[in-house]
Amino acid sequence: MSERAEARGPAFRRRRTTIVGGGAVSAKQVNGNKRHNAGEKPPQHPAKTKPAAEPSKHASHNGRLYREEDSSGKQQQELGTGPKTPKSAVEDINARLSCHVLQESLLSSASGYSNYRGILNWCVVMLMLSNARLFLENIIKYGILVDPIQVVSLFLKDPYSWPAACLIIASNVFILSALYLERRLAVGTVSETAGWILHIFNLTCMLIFPSATVLTVTSMTPVGGVISLGIYTVLFLKLYSYQDSNRWCREIRQARAKRLTRSYSCPDVPQSNGSAVHSHVSYPGNLTHRDMYYFVFAPTLCYQLNFPRSPRVRKRFLMRRLFEMLFLMQLLVGLIQQWMVPTIQNSMKPFQDMDFSRMVERLLKLAVPNHLIWLLFFYWFFHSSMNFVAELLQFGDREFYRDWWNSESVTYFWANWNIPVHKWCLRHFYKPMLKRGTNKFLAQTAVFLVSAFFHEYLVSIPLKMFRLWAFMGMMAQVPLAWFVGRYLNGNYGNAAVWMSLIIGQPIAVLMYVHDYYVIHHSSTE
């Protein structure tokens, strides 16, 4: 190498190091070391420093590529693995000429790209704008239809008669009957067979008594009937779990050769935050009024002797959930009155005339508000309300739902959108059937059958008509689950689940409203 070429190298490296960000100190150190080792002055060639400007010119044309190469080169030099010499002029020109590499498009699945947050935000904005247009069109066409007085009339037909509230209060008879029966079973004054028969009788009366009351009492409104029957259904599932769990405790006690003859409470153990752990009990020390009514109000359907408890009540969290409950309740009532009721009323004539094109149009128009209201109801009930009750009772298990919105199969959706019901079905229905040798598919079908019964129970009896639309809708999930699980995967399966939710519910709503309108109003016109 000539002396001129040797003189260009240090000068180029000194300028390059300053550009990359090493600083003037690094350049001095490099040049100082050269002078110290060689014993000569640094060459002074102002005209020879022009090649250092070439990378800047190249950066102006392809800044991103230059920064990536420069930063990578710097990292390699810091690690001691990169080249110590700068690129030659030929390499620099080749870098300019080579601007393409082997890579996939971002929207291709082979690219591995997964950050679609901007597209998700776009979908949310478009959804808000489209719904805002529909809501504005509704306001212009019908005016303000929200009427709080009308909501009160849905609960109270006669202001001096509260049949739904009286029916709910009467449920304490069944609750206390289950508690006292368990006490008799614990001390052995009632045999296991007789206790099982009495429990079945108590649970059967819990389903028959409220339904007979709703059907016979004329002052019972449909909304009041739905609420009272819903509470009785929840109590039915709770008391079934209560007797099942206590029976398991008796079996454990018998397996231990009756060594645990009397329960006791463990002493309080101080925690690091100064509070005390809730006392732990063993059977039959749990058979108290306090324990029973804690389970009745707890946001769960599965009983156990010692629930996980949170150390304290978070007041800010509690107030946020309370505010959400009150606000969303008003929003749900307003959307139903302003958006759904007019659409349903306009759907009656196409159904009477059997105009299929207009029926499909009405169905699709109803699908949007119905689905939005269903999503709001889900958040109001499973997140706001159940977290409010759990925080108030210091109930520790807050998994009331999982990521059902990512469901790629129908079975995954039904197993994850309502965790309390799913846990009850697994614990007290599905797994016991499997232990008895039942086929897995038959056990799943039986679970859907029980769910279909309760769906129809909560709709047909308050409306005082039996059309089985809800029952058939739930049972239709069985072949749908088989089809989606066999032929659709990934995003296609998730789209099929969303489609069944968006379209299936409005069909059932229109069917029931049409039949209710025909039975109660067509004869009066």
Side-chain angles (χ1 to χ4, degrees), residues 388-413:
F388 175 81
V389 175
E391 190 69 25
L392 199 62
L393 299 177
Q394 294 180 258
F395 186 80
D397 188 0
R398 307 296 176 86
E399 190 184 40
F400 307 123
Y401 56 90
R402 297 194 189 109
D403 60 335
W404 57 265
W405 46 86
N406 294 327
S407 302
E408 298 180 0
S409 64
V410 176
T411 54
Y412 186 88
F413 167 78

mmCIF file of all heavy atoms in Angstrom, residues 388-413:
data_model
loop_
_atom_site.group_PDB
_atom_site.id
_atom_site.type_symbol
_atom_site.label_atom_id
_atom_site.label_comp_id
_atom_site.label_asym_id
_atom_site.label_seq_id
_atom_site.Cartn_x
_atom_site.Cartn_y
_atom_site.Cartn_z
ATOM 1 N N PHE A 388 -67.996 -6.042 41.481
ATOM 2 C CA PHE A 388 -68.486 -5.227 42.590
ATOM 3 C C PHE A 388 -68.888 -6.115 43.772
ATOM 4 O O PHE A 388 -68.506 -5.859 44.921
ATOM 5 C CB PHE A 388 -69.680 -4.388 42.126
ATOM 6 C CG PHE A 388 -70.331 -3.594 43.220
ATOM 7 C CD1 PHE A 388 -69.792 -2.392 43.636
ATOM 8 C CD2 PHE A 388 -71.479 -4.064 43.850
ATOM 9 C CE1 PHE A 388 -70.386 -1.658 44.653
ATOM 10 C CE2 PHE A 388 -72.087 -3.343 44.858
ATOM 11 C CZ PHE A 388 -71.538 -2.139 45.269
ATOM 12 N N VAL A 389 -69.645 -7.159 43.491
ATOM 13 C CA VAL A 389 -70.068 -8.071 44.557
ATOM 14 C C VAL A 389 -68.863 -8.794 45.153
ATOM 15 O O VAL A 389 -68.755 -8.959 46.374
ATOM 16 C CB VAL A 389 -71.107 -9.069 44.019
ATOM 17 C CG1 VAL A 389 -71.471 -10.096 45.077
ATOM 18 C CG2 VAL A 389 -72.359 -8.335 43.546
ATOM 19 N N ALA A 390 -67.943 -9.233 44.295
ATOM 20 C CA ALA A 390 -66.763 -9.941 44.784
ATOM 21 C C ALA A 390 -65.901 -9.040 45.666
ATOM 22 O O ALA A 390 -65.377 -9.482 46.698
ATOM 23 C CB ALA A 390 -65.947 -10.469 43.603
ATOM 24 N N GLU A 391 -65.739 -7.790 45.266
ATOM 25 C CA GLU A 391 -64.937 -6.867 46.076
ATOM 26 C C GLU A 391 -65.623 -6.577 47.402
ATOM 27 O O GLU A 391 -64.970 -6.476 48.449
ATOM 28 C CB GLU A 391 -64.710 -5.565 45.303
ATOM 29 C CG GLU A 391 -63.697 -4.632 45.934
ATOM 30 C CD GLU A 391 -62.285 -5.173 45.870
ATOM 31 O OE1 GLU A 391 -61.999 -5.985 44.965
ATOM 32 O OE2 GLU A 391 -61.465 -4.790 46.729
ATOM 33 N N LEU A 392 -66.935 -6.465 47.385
ATOM 34 C CA LEU A 392 -67.685 -6.186 48.611
ATOM 35 C C LEU A 392 -67.591 -7.355 49.587
ATOM 36 O O LEU A 392 -67.492 -7.144 50.813
ATOM 37 C CB LEU A 392 -69.140 -5.902 48.267
ATOM 38 C CG LEU A 392 -69.995 -5.171 49.307
ATOM 39 C CD1 LEU A 392 -69.434 -3.784 49.580
ATOM 40 C CD2 LEU A 392 -71.433 -5.068 48.831
ATOM 41 N N LEU A 393 -67.607 -8.572 49.073
ATOM 42 C CA LEU A 393 -67.533 -9.769 49.913
ATOM 43 C C LEU A 393 -66.111 -10.284 50.073
ATOM 44 O O LEU A 393 -65.911 -11.324 50.712
ATOM 45 C CB LEU A 393 -68.405 -10.882 49.315
ATOM 46 C CG LEU A 393 -69.901 -10.597 49.196
ATOM 47 C CD1 LEU A 393 -70.612 -11.762 48.528
ATOM 48 C CD2 LEU A 393 -70.503 -10.327 50.567
ATOM 49 N N GLN A 394 -65.128 -9.590 49.496
ATOM 50 C CA GLN A 394 -63.724 -10.018 49.520
ATOM 51 C C GLN A 394 -63.563 -11.425 48.945
ATOM 52 O O GLN A 394 -62.786 -12.241 49.453
ATOM 53 C CB GLN A 394 -63.174 -9.959 50.944
ATOM 54 C CG GLN A 394 -63.079 -8.545 51.505
ATOM 55 C CD GLN A 394 -62.532 -8.527 52.918
ATOM 56 O OE1 GLN A 394 -63.284 -8.382 53.874
ATOM 57 N NE2 GLN A 394 -61.228 -8.675 53.047
ATOM 58 N N PHE A 395 -64.304 -11.690 47.893
ATOM 59 C CA PHE A 395 -64.212 -12.974 47.196
ATOM 60 C C PHE A 395 -63.011 -12.930 46.266
ATOM 61 O O PHE A 395 -62.912 -12.053 45.400
ATOM 62 C CB PHE A 395 -65.511 -13.237 46.422
ATOM 63 C CG PHE A 395 -65.583 -14.590 45.798
ATOM 64 C CD1 PHE A 395 -65.926 -15.696 46.540
ATOM 65 C CD2 PHE A 395 -65.308 -14.766 44.451
ATOM 66 C CE1 PHE A 395 -65.997 -16.958 45.974
ATOM 67 C CE2 PHE A 395 -65.376 -16.008 43.865
ATOM 68 C CZ PHE A 395 -65.719 -17.114 44.631
ATOM 69 N N GLY A 396 -62.096 -13.884 46.420
ATOM 70 C CA GLY A 396 -60.804 -13.778 45.756
ATOM 71 C C GLY A 396 -60.762 -14.220 44.312
ATOM 72 O O GLY A 396 -59.974 -13.695 43.516
ATOM 73 N N ASP A 397 -61.587 -15.188 43.912
ATOM 74 C CA ASP A 397 -61.525 -15.726 42.548
ATOM 75 C C ASP A 397 -62.315 -14.809 41.618
ATOM 76 O O ASP A 397 -63.541 -14.829 41.595
ATOM 77 C CB ASP A 397 -62.099 -17.140 42.525
ATOM 78 C CG ASP A 397 -61.892 -17.830 41.184
ATOM 79 O OD1 ASP A 397 -61.303 -17.197 40.283
ATOM 80 O OD2 ASP A 397 -62.337 -18.978 41.020
ATOM 81 N N ARG A 398 -61.625 -14.028 40.812
ATOM 82 C CA ARG A 398 -62.274 -13.056 39.928
ATOM 83 C C ARG A 398 -62.283 -13.504 38.473
ATOM 84 O O ARG A 398 -62.521 -12.689 37.575
ATOM 85 C CB ARG A 398 -61.558 -11.699 40.018
ATOM 86 C CG ARG A 398 -61.398 -11.165 41.437
ATOM 87 C CD ARG A 398 -62.729 -10.864 42.096
ATOM 88 N NE ARG A 398 -62.585 -10.432 43.477
ATOM 89 C CZ ARG A 398 -62.373 -9.181 43.856
ATOM 90 N NH1 ARG A 398 -62.286 -8.221 42.949
ATOM 91 N NH2 ARG A 398 -62.249 -8.872 45.127
ATOM 92 N N GLU A 399 -62.037 -14.763 38.203
ATOM 93 C CA GLU A 399 -62.058 -15.244 36.812
ATOM 94 C C GLU A 399 -63.501 -15.569 36.433
ATOM 95 O O GLU A 399 -63.942 -16.709 36.484
ATOM 96 C CB GLU A 399 -61.167 -16.475 36.647
ATOM 97 C CG GLU A 399 -60.964 -16.863 35.186
ATOM 98 C CD GLU A 399 -60.164 -18.143 35.027
ATOM 99 O OE1 GLU A 399 -60.386 -19.077 35.811
ATOM 100 O OE2 GLU A 399 -59.308 -18.193 34.130
ATOM 101 N N PHE A 400 -64.231 -14.547 36.035
ATOM 102 C CA PHE A 400 -65.621 -14.717 35.629
ATOM 103 C C PHE A 400 -65.755 -14.970 34.132
ATOM 104 O O PHE A 400 -66.825 -15.363 33.665
ATOM 105 C CB PHE A 400 -66.438 -13.487 36.011
ATOM 106 C CG PHE A 400 -66.306 -13.118 37.465
ATOM 107 C CD1 PHE A 400 -65.871 -11.860 37.833
ATOM 108 C CD2 PHE A 400 -66.607 -14.028 38.447
ATOM 109 C CE1 PHE A 400 -65.747 -11.524 39.173
ATOM 110 C CE2 PHE A 400 -66.491 -13.706 39.795
ATOM 111 C CZ PHE A 400 -66.054 -12.446 40.154
ATOM 112 N N TYR A 401 -64.706 -14.735 33.379
ATOM 113 C CA TYR A 401 -64.701 -14.945 31.929
ATOM 114 C C TYR A 401 -63.254 -15.063 31.484
ATOM 115 O O TYR A 401 -62.328 -14.645 32.193
ATOM 116 C CB TYR A 401 -65.390 -13.791 31.192
ATOM 117 C CG TYR A 401 -64.789 -12.437 31.519
ATOM 118 C CD1 TYR A 401 -63.737 -11.901 30.783
ATOM 119 C CD2 TYR A 401 -65.272 -11.689 32.584
ATOM 120 C CE1 TYR A 401 -63.190 -10.682 31.085
ATOM 121 C CE2 TYR A 401 -64.728 -10.455 32.906
ATOM 122 C CZ TYR A 401 -63.696 -9.956 32.158
ATOM 123 O OH TYR A 401 -63.142 -8.743 32.479
ATOM 124 N N ARG A 402 -63.082 -15.644 30.310
ATOM 125 C CA ARG A 402 -61.758 -15.710 29.692
ATOM 126 C C ARG A 402 -61.841 -15.067 28.312
ATOM 127 O O ARG A 402 -62.824 -14.393 27.995
ATOM 128 C CB ARG A 402 -61.277 -17.164 29.609
ATOM 129 C CG ARG A 402 -61.084 -17.825 30.971
ATOM 130 C CD ARG A 402 -60.299 -19.131 30.854
ATOM 131 N NE ARG A 402 -60.294 -19.860 32.125
ATOM 132 C CZ ARG A 402 -60.947 -20.981 32.352
ATOM 133 N NH1 ARG A 402 -61.671 -21.535 31.372
ATOM 134 N NH2 ARG A 402 -60.900 -21.580 33.522
ATOM 135 N N ASP A 403 -60.865 -15.317 27.475
ATOM 136 C CA ASP A 403 -60.779 -14.640 26.175
ATOM 137 C C ASP A 403 -61.697 -15.320 25.158
ATOM 138 O O ASP A 403 -61.244 -15.845 24.140
ATOM 139 C CB ASP A 403 -59.340 -14.594 25.672
ATOM 140 C CG ASP A 403 -58.743 -15.984 25.500
ATOM 141 O OD1 ASP A 403 -59.210 -16.913 26.185
ATOM 142 O OD2 ASP A 403 -57.829 -16.144 24.679
ATOM 143 N N TRP A 404 -63.003 -15.256 25.413
ATOM 144 C CA TRP A 404 -63.948 -15.886 24.489
ATOM 145 C C TRP A 404 -63.958 -15.188 23.137
ATOM 146 O O TRP A 404 -64.360 -15.785 22.135
ATOM 147 C CB TRP A 404 -65.358 -15.850 25.090
ATOM 148 C CG TRP A 404 -65.846 -14.480 25.446
ATOM 149 C CD1 TRP A 404 -65.773 -13.869 26.645
ATOM 150 C CD2 TRP A 404 -66.481 -13.543 24.573
ATOM 151 N NE1 TRP A 404 -66.314 -12.604 26.594
ATOM 152 C CE2 TRP A 404 -66.759 -12.381 25.330
ATOM 153 C CE3 TRP A 404 -66.852 -13.561 23.230
ATOM 154 C CZ2 TRP A 404 -67.382 -11.260 24.785
ATOM 155 C CZ3 TRP A 404 -67.462 -12.445 22.691
ATOM 156 C CH2 TRP A 404 -67.724 -11.312 23.463
ATOM 157 N N TRP A 405 -63.551 -13.933 23.071
ATOM 158 C CA TRP A 405 -63.542 -13.205 21.786
ATOM 159 C C TRP A 405 -62.503 -13.768 20.820
ATOM 160 O O TRP A 405 -62.573 -13.500 19.629
ATOM 161 C CB TRP A 405 -63.265 -11.717 22.039
ATOM 162 C CG TRP A 405 -62.139 -11.475 22.993
ATOM 163 C CD1 TRP A 405 -60.824 -11.399 22.704
ATOM 164 C CD2 TRP A 405 -62.251 -11.302 24.413
ATOM 165 N NE1 TRP A 405 -60.081 -11.182 23.840
ATOM 166 C CE2 TRP A 405 -60.934 -11.108 24.903
ATOM 167 C CE3 TRP A 405 -63.312 -11.276 25.300
ATOM 168 C CZ2 TRP A 405 -60.680 -10.907 26.262
ATOM 169 C CZ3 TRP A 405 -63.047 -11.077 26.646
ATOM 170 C CH2 TRP A 405 -61.749 -10.891 27.113
ATOM 171 N N ASN A 406 -61.554 -14.554 21.309
ATOM 172 C CA ASN A 406 -60.579 -15.223 20.443
ATOM 173 C C ASN A 406 -60.989 -16.644 20.098
ATOM 174 O O ASN A 406 -60.158 -17.423 19.606
ATOM 175 C CB ASN A 406 -59.204 -15.243 21.113
ATOM 176 C CG ASN A 406 -58.612 -13.856 21.264
ATOM 177 O OD1 ASN A 406 -58.829 -12.986 20.426
ATOM 178 N ND2 ASN A 406 -57.886 -13.631 22.348
ATOM 179 N N SER A 407 -62.242 -17.010 20.367
ATOM 180 C CA SER A 407 -62.688 -18.387 20.168
ATOM 181 C C SER A 407 -62.565 -18.792 18.706
ATOM 182 O O SER A 407 -63.075 -18.103 17.818
ATOM 183 C CB SER A 407 -64.142 -18.539 20.624
ATOM 184 O OG SER A 407 -64.282 -18.186 21.980
ATOM 185 N N GLU A 408 -61.904 -19.901 18.463
ATOM 186 C CA GLU A 408 -61.805 -20.481 17.129
ATOM 187 C C GLU A 408 -62.722 -21.682 16.967
ATOM 188 O O GLU A 408 -62.714 -22.321 15.920
ATOM 189 C CB GLU A 408 -60.353 -20.871 16.838
ATOM 190 C CG GLU A 408 -59.404 -19.680 16.836
ATOM 191 C CD GLU A 408 -57.975 -20.075 16.557
ATOM 192 O OE1 GLU A 408 -57.734 -21.289 16.365
ATOM 193 O OE2 GLU A 408 -57.103 -19.197 16.544
ATOM 194 N N SER A 409 -63.502 -21.983 18.000
ATOM 195 C CA SER A 409 -64.488 -23.056 17.945
ATOM 196 C C SER A 409 -65.659 -22.673 18.842
ATOM 197 O O SER A 409 -65.521 -21.860 19.756
ATOM 198 C CB SER A 409 -63.878 -24.388 18.397
ATOM 199 O OG SER A 409 -63.497 -24.318 19.753
ATOM 200 N N VAL A 410 -66.807 -23.265 18.566
ATOM 201 C CA VAL A 410 -68.006 -22.974 19.350
ATOM 202 C C VAL A 410 -67.863 -23.485 20.774
ATOM 203 O O VAL A 410 -68.294 -22.826 21.736
ATOM 204 C CB VAL A 410 -69.235 -23.587 18.658
ATOM 205 C CG1 VAL A 410 -70.496 -23.377 19.495
ATOM 206 C CG2 VAL A 410 -69.419 -22.984 17.267
ATOM 207 N N THR A 411 -67.255 -24.651 20.941
ATOM 208 C CA THR A 411 -67.081 -25.200 22.284
ATOM 209 C C THR A 411 -66.174 -24.323 23.139
ATOM 210 O O THR A 411 -66.404 -24.173 24.346
ATOM 211 C CB THR A 411 -66.504 -26.621 22.201
ATOM 212 O OG1 THR A 411 -65.298 -26.599 21.419
ATOM 213 C CG2 THR A 411 -67.492 -27.562 21.544
ATOM 214 N N TYR A 412 -65.147 -23.731 22.536
ATOM 215 C CA TYR A 412 -64.267 -22.833 23.293
ATOM 216 C C TYR A 412 -65.040 -21.601 23.751
ATOM 217 O O TYR A 412 -64.828 -21.122 24.870
ATOM 218 C CB TYR A 412 -63.074 -22.424 22.427
ATOM 219 C CG TYR A 412 -62.038 -21.613 23.172
ATOM 220 C CD1 TYR A 412 -61.013 -22.243 23.858
ATOM 221 C CD2 TYR A 412 -62.092 -20.227 23.200
ATOM 222 C CE1 TYR A 412 -60.062 -21.514 24.557
ATOM 223 C CE2 TYR A 412 -61.151 -19.485 23.897
ATOM 224 C CZ TYR A 412 -60.140 -20.137 24.568
ATOM 225 O OH TYR A 412 -59.205 -19.398 25.271
ATOM 226 N N PHE A 413 -65.935 -21.092 22.926
ATOM 227 C CA PHE A 413 -66.722 -19.931 23.330
ATOM 228 C C PHE A 413 -67.604 -20.264 24.528
ATOM 229 O O PHE A 413 -67.611 -19.540 25.534
ATOM 230 C CB PHE A 413 -67.595 -19.445 22.168
ATOM 231 C CG PHE A 413 -68.651 -18.466 22.595
ATOM 232 C CD1 PHE A 413 -68.335 -17.148 22.836
ATOM 233 C CD2 PHE A 413 -69.971 -18.873 22.767
ATOM 234 C CE1 PHE A 413 -69.303 -16.242 23.243
ATOM 235 C CE2 PHE A 413 -70.945 -17.984 23.168
ATOM 236 C CZ PHE A 413 -70.611 -16.667 23.411
#
